Amino acid sequence: MAEQLIGAIEAGGTKFVVALARTDGTILAEARIPTETPATCFPAMAEFFRSASAEHGKIAAFGVASFGPIDIDPASPAYGTFTTTPKPGWSGARFQDVLGEFGAPIVVDTDVNGAALGEWESGAGQGCKTLAYTTIGTGVGCGVLSQGKSMMGFSHYEGGHIGVAHDRAADPYAGFCPFHGDCLEGLAAGPAIKGRWGQSLSDLGSPVDKVTLIAGYVSQLAANLVLLHMPDRLIFGGGVMKTPGLVEALRSATEQRIAGYIKAPQLDPGLVNYIVTPGLGDEAGITGAIALGRSALG
Ligand code: ZN
């Protein structure tokens, strides 16, 4: 196959990372654009690709790994459109409207599905038949891949908003999710930690009791992922997961929660090889976006 160029977009809630890459993943040009509103972000994104394409050549396909909620069903007339996002200005914004001028196919998936794909191809998820990728950051998102394809129903999964057991005597914090209050995201994402204790866990010095509380919430998703999908591995990334001691506490809490009910070689003692952090680190998102673009080339 002749060398082709992919336009890759990792659309995050704070910033967009945009890149022009070769199909082998080599990045030729890259930029960061504040997410703000589509009125400012979209034209800057189009300008980046115009300029990068003028220098390096025609773009053969776009891959978009985006925050959501967003329509990721290729058969839907609204494919690529933000739906009920509480982010001001973004509901109804559509990637195809701004990337259409390049005349290239566009694949849109969620940020977590994109990161999962990046990890499956070249990170901590290599060789996994089923892989779950969860990010615990400003929000909580979770994607599941089966044989390298992201799974969905009528829409993408929303594992960050599952209900979790919440002992209000031990943890009186009400949760910040505008829809559910104390769902997993409402109790364990970055804003919940700052809302409850005023600072991030790392800035607080990663105290064991607080790390254990957050790990307890996240372990409920981890155990449910095992029960619902039987993944070969669980990857947990995002800013909150960088807290020293959190992934260890998560392994321990998840193992206790599974309570010996599932026995499989994948679930190693201590879950050290089962629950892991991203192999690509912060590059998982843009790597996944490039992989999505590559999938459009067939
Ligand atoms: Zn929620």
Side-chain angles (χ1 to χ4, degrees):
M1 177 169 79
E3 193 59 69
Q4 289 182 293
L5 297 180
I6 292 168
I9 298 148
E10 178 193 4
T14 310
K15 66 174 189 304
F16 276 35
V17 179
V18 291
L20 186 71
R22 294 204 184 100
T23 43
D24 69 0
T26 309
I27 292 175
L28 303 169
E30 189 174 20
R32 280 162 174 71
I33 301 166
T35 305
E36 293 172 351
T37 68
T40 55
C41 180
F42 272 1
M45 179 172 80
E47 183 48 40
F48 166 82
F49 285 118
R50 263 180 234 127
S51 150
S53 177
E55 186 177 346
H56 297 284
K58 185 174 159 44
I59 298 172
F62 283 95
V64 181
S66 178
F67 73 91
I70 185 165
D71 189 326
I72 61 162
D73 179 359
S76 161
Y79 182 45
T81 308
F82 288 96
T83 57
T84 55
T85 177
K87 227 174 187 359
W90 284 94
S91 279
R94 186 171 197 238
F95 282 98
Q96 285 83 345
D97 290 344
V98 64
L99 299 175
E101 70 177 73
F102 297 92
I106 303 165
V107 173
V108 181
D109 210 328
T110 63
D111 45 7
V112 282
N113 284 341
L117 184 58
E119 290 290 329
W120 183 78
E121 284 200 353
S122 50
Q126 293 176 72
C128 290
K129 195 169 129 197
T130 304
L131 174 69
Y133 181 99
T134 304
T135 180
I136 316 281
T138 347
V140 176
C142 181
V144 181
L145 296 189
S146 177
Q147 315 269 25
K149 293 258 179 282
S150 58
M151 295 176 67
M152 65 177 292
F154 62 81
S155 182
H156 53 78
Y157 297 164
E158 288 284 3
H161 291 266
I162 60 167
V164 290
H166 177 199
D167 177 351
R168 285 173 184 269
D171 176 23
Y173 180 66
F176 79 95
C177 176
F179 293 91
H180 317 112
D182 62 349
C183 64
L184 175 61
E185 179 171 298
L187 289 175
I193 291 164
K194 288 207 174 125
R196 192 190 277 109
W197 296 309
Q199 297 179 76
S200 73
L201 284 174
S202 299
D203 289 346
L204 287 161
S206 316
V208 171
D209 59 332
K210 294 179 171 58
V211 169
T212 305
L213 181 75
I214 298 305
Y217 294 135
V218 179
S219 73
Q220 300 185 52
L221 173 62
N224 285 340
L225 283 169
V226 176
L227 296 171
L228 290 167
H229 294 288
M230 298 288 168
D232 295 293
R233 189 163 293 142
L234 309 181
I235 301 176
F236 280 84
V240 172
M241 285 310 299
K242 292 177 180 167
T243 306
L246 183 54
V247 72
E248 290 82 0
L250 173 61
R251 287 176 184 137
S252 164
T254 304
E255 192 167 44
Q256 281 177 41
R257 206 169 277 287
I258 293 171
Y261 180 62
I262 314 291
K263 298 221 185 309
Q266 285 85 348
L267 299 170
D268 60 316
L271 306 183
V272 176
N273 298 314
Y274 189 67
I275 294 182
V276 300
T277 51
L280 301 173
D282 295 334
E283 295 304 304
I286 196 68
T287 306
I290 295 168
L292 290 171
R294 196 186 301 122
S295 72
L297 297 173

